[in-house]
Amino acid sequence: MSRDPRYDILFEPVKIGPVIARNRFYQVPHCTGIGWTQPETLARLRGIKAEGGWAVVATEETEIHPSADCEPFHEGRLWDDRDIPAMALMADAVHEHGALAAIEIMHHGGSVANWGTRIAPIAPSHRPIIYNYPVQARAMDKEDIRNLRGWHRDAAVRSKKAGFDIVYVYATHDLSIAQQFLERRKNDRTDEYGGSLENRARLLRELIEDTKEAVGDKCAVAVRFCADELIGEAGLTHDGEARDVIAMLAELPDLWDVNISNWPNDSQTSRFAKEGFQEAYTSFVKSLTTKPVVGVGRFTSPDTMVSQIKRGVLDFIGAARPSIADPFLPKKIEEGRIDDIRECIGCNMCVSSDYTSTNLRCTQNPTMGEEWRRGWHPEIIAPKKSEGSVLVVGAGPAGLEAALSAARRGFEVHLAEASDELGGRVTRESKLPGLSEWARVRDWRVGQLERMANVSIYRDSKLEAGHVLQFGARHVAIATGSFWRRDGVGRDSGFPIFDGATVYTPDDIMAGRDPEAGPIIIWDDDHYYMGGVLAEVSRYAGAEVVLVTTAAAVSAWTANTLEALPIARRMAKLGVEILPYMSVAGFAGDSVQLNSVLTGEKFERPASALVTVTARLPVDALYEDLRDRWQAAGIASVTRIGDCWAPSTIQQAVYSGHKWARELDEEPEVLIPRELPMIESGRLKVMT
Ligand code: ADP
Ligand code: SF4
């Protein structure tokens, strides 16, 4: 296949100061949860993006000094020369595939606590730090500013030594000191760095000038800038001070990388924002500068990308999440394989890795974060080592991924699904308000499977043990999923507490068996998205809804996916009453018994229906029926995968299906590969 000429414009080279990007695909800086902790892991991950066709591949934010210590988050580090080799590893991996390597050096100023290094944070003025720690940043004096400029310059020089082609000055996401100086609400200085906008922009200007002077001969200098903070006049706005700063510094950097601040605004999930959602805030930038402009908006459609370029909104298609979901997105457009693009679903499981300081993961791309550790490549999978066919029972995310990956290995694959629809929980959940893009998990896999000659799909085919035993498959994956419990057992209660016709589970609601009238009590003992989404369903149907949770807020775990605030806002807008620090202890048909987690007091609330979002149980009856029988039938393996093995996230189900297929006919993994800590003393004692 060859490229559709409509997309030629995306493959034009673009000059960025002294360097040239081979096309318009730009992987903007993004966190990985890996950072300085595992350089090999990170280098391989970024190298694969370069291999996938991105013209520029950037690091995550990279700390320039111990007074910008992001712990417990794992970001990049260039504190001193000892950090150069690790960063060089990544730059080399990116260069190996002809891409430019960019580095986002930064000082966090008053956003981090320096919890690891125990250095008092610094900021334009005395303020509590932005992340929620009981720590204040101290106001910088002139010497501090001079030092900061020196650290930034040193880090730029180290970046160049490490081989980077583009060096950033960072001023967005409410994280960087340059932005903090710009913000009136954080800067009440009376010297030449405070007061007028020109004064508040002085540090940013100086950092750009310093960086250009230090490395501008070889490296392009990019500014990552906040086009709007979405807090109106209290902050930087696209038609106010953000615009004025860009106008002031328009030609100074070699590239503008613009977005909306802070990170939750920049990386909104598909529940709250659709492709291209930043355009209204960033499109003005190109009218003020002749320098190339990169912007983001969870772009996955080449038509949208072309439109952004042709309408003069952007010069580069910036991407973090789309490049995680499909590192080969540019290559696929280049090769005319549009249907092969694995589109990001906007769930932010990737973000949760950064928030939990664990290796990057992705719902759509199970190889993400496993490139070095397990040697997984998103586009390459080892051919099968044995003959015989594979049977996958259940076509949810685990079954679909297992079938696809086994088929890519060359196995003859049979996929049996009990219902007439493929997709399992993804199909059900994508019909919930705001979650329609989640269907991409199903659609991409079904699209791939339907084009493969070695795959047979059987709908309306509920398999029982006898069918499986007679089927003749060499390997069997049981991907039969899970169901939500009705009895109330979960995190809060270890014992059944409910029984009754007006107790509903998420499965009931998704199957259209809604409570007829309110007040509806949603007992959210799960703390992820489901409770909040079901509250929306019932409010749209007009019922009075009360959401009860032992957590401090609705959908508390979504703090890890940047959705906690938007969900709370939506609940407030819809008039959903939230009862935090409360558990449900009983349901009498017309009232619920509530327990205060704080005081132990018991309350009653009228309720005509109870929706329990507590826990799930595996659908594993088929496996149990097969347990002692499959070996005698000549089957080499029967394995439970996905939610049937252990109910978890959709991301984990996809991962589980992928891992199963990768490991067919392979030696079992004994030790999880990992990058071992360096022992400074040079002593390495092998324990026997
Ligand atoms: P997972 O997240 O692990 O992929 P899901 O619950 O999304 O799990 O999907 C499980 C799928 O398995 C559902 O589509 C369900 O209809 C199907 N299924 C369950 N039992 C059987 C069975 N005995 N035969 C065929 N399909 C089954
Ligand atoms: Fe997109 Fe979700 Fe993957 Fe993140 S985890 S890249 S949001 S599909």
Side-chain angles (χ1 to χ4, degrees), residues 572-636:
K573 261 197 192 139
L574 289 173
V576 174
E577 187 185 354
I578 311 291
L579 295 181
Y581 296 119
M582 199 79 81
S583 70
V584 177
F587 177 54
D590 56 358
S591 66
V592 284
Q593 239 185 53
L594 303 175
N595 266 351
S596 165
V597 170
L598 305 180
T599 63
E601 267 178 280
K602 298 200 186 323
F603 306 86
E604 280 222 345
R605 286 282 295 233
S608 45
L610 175 69
V611 179
T612 61
V613 188
T614 55
R616 286 174 287 154
L617 283 172
V619 177
D620 56 4
L622 174 62
Y623 179 82
E624 291 304 332
D625 276 359
L626 288 166
R627 189 186 274 276
D628 299 321
R629 297 158 70 193
W630 56 266
Q631 267 144 332
I635 300 174

Side-chain angles (χ1 to χ4, degrees), residues 151-172:
W151 301 330
H152 200 278
R153 173 190 285 266
D154 290 349
V157 172
R158 289 186 194 110
S159 302
K160 183 174 151 186
K161 277 191 190 151
F164 285 92
D165 310 284
I166 301 174
V167 180
Y168 268 81
V169 176
Y170 187 45
T172 184

Side-chain angles (χ1 to χ4, degrees), residues 393-399 416-419 421 423-426 428 461-464 479-482 619 622 641-644 653:
V393 188
E417 164 54 46
S419 77
E421 272 188 303
R425 63 179 287 194
V426 161
R428 293 192 293 275
S461 301
K462 184 166 176 55
L463 298 197
E464 292 179 4
T480 45
S482 64
V619 177
L622 174 62
I641 59 171
D643 291 336
C644 169

Side-chain angles (χ1 to χ4, degrees), residues 388-391 414 468-476 633-637:
S389 65
V390 155
L391 171 65
H414 301 271
V468 176
L469 294 170
Q470 283 164 24
F471 199 88
R474 177 172 160 78
H475 295 288
V476 179
I635 300 174
S637 71

Side-chain angles (χ1 to χ4, degrees), residues 442-460:
R442 171 199 65 203
D443 294 342
W444 182 77
R445 290 175 174 78
V446 172
Q448 299 286 306
L449 285 164
E450 284 181 344
R451 282 187 276 141
M452 297 178 94
N454 53 334
V455 174
S456 309
I457 302 178
Y458 314 98
R459 292 172 173 82
D460 285 318

Side-chain angles (χ1 to χ4, degrees), residues 321 324-325 344-350 361-364:
R321 291 173 292 176
I324 295 170
C344 164
I345 70 165
C347 63
N348 279 2
M349 281 310 288
C350 48
R361 70 205 56 211
C362 170
T363 300
Q364 275 286 57

